[in-house]
Amino acid sequence: MSTIFSKIINKEIPADIVYESDTVLAFNDIRPQAPVHVLIIPKIEIPKVTDIKGSEHAALLGEMIDAANKIARDLSIADDGFRLVFNCGDNGGQEVYHLHLHLLAGRKMNWPPG
Ligand code: 5GP
C-alpha cells in the first residue's frame, strides 16, 4: 500500500530534498529529532526491513548507504559522526510503512535509544 512517501517521490507533496538519484531519494524529516535528520528512501515501495531480500535489494541498500555518506560529507558531519536507523514494525517505532533510513547528526546521540 502506498504511503505519504510515494507522494513525495512523485512530487505530489513537497519535501526538502537533499539528494536524489534514479533509485533513491533523501529529504529532511518534517519533525527533526536532531539538528540533522534526513530520511533516505528507495523509490520502489518496500514497506519495511523484513520485506528486504538480500538477493534482490543488496545494490539498492548499498546505494542508500552511499547516499547517507554523501549527505554526511556534504553537510560536514561525517567526521563528527552520525547515527543511521531503520525502525521496523510496531515495537521498532515505525510509523510510515515505506522503508526509510534515518540519518541523525549534529548532537551526541544517546545509548541505549529510547
Ligand atoms: P518512522 O517512525 O516510520 O521510522 O519514521 C517516519 C518519519 O517520517 C518520522 O520521523 C516523521 O517525522 C517523518 N515524516 C512523516 N510524514 C512526513 C512528511 O510528510 N514529510 C517529511 N519530510 N517527513 C515525514
Side-chain angles (χ1 to χ4, degrees):
M1 200 179 73
S2 291
T3 70
I4 192 137
F5 288 178
S6 292
K7 291 191 167 64
I8 290 175
I9 292 165
N10 295 327
K11 312 283 163 66
E12 291 164 19
I13 63 166
D16 190 6
I17 292 171
V18 298
Y19 174 86
E20 181 164 16
S21 73
D22 288 346
T23 53
V24 171
L25 186 69
F27 50 90
N28 287 320
D29 197 294
I30 206 165
R31 292 190 305 268
Q33 302 301 315
V36 173
H37 188 172
V38 175
L39 301 173
I40 300 155
I41 71 173
K43 288 188 172 178
I44 60 168
E45 289 183 11
I46 300 171
K48 57 186 190 297
V49 167
T50 47
D51 296 307
I52 294 171
K53 294 184 183 69
S55 56
E56 202 177 321
H57 300 127
L60 182 59
L61 288 176
E63 289 171 36
M64 291 171 69
I65 299 291
D66 283 349
N69 283 328
K70 179 179 179 350
I71 294 162
R73 283 193 302 272
D74 289 350
L75 297 178
S76 303
I77 47 128
D79 289 343
D80 285 341
F82 52 87
R83 182 168 290 173
L84 297 178
V85 177
F86 283 112
N87 293 327
C88 181
D90 195 25
N91 275 1
Q94 186 173 4
E95 289 175 10
V96 179
Y97 280 79
H98 182 122
L99 187 73
H100 50 280
L101 182 60
H102 294 259
L103 167 59
L104 297 147
R107 65 169 170 82
K108 184 85 176 166
M109 298 296 148
N110 300 315
W111 195 264

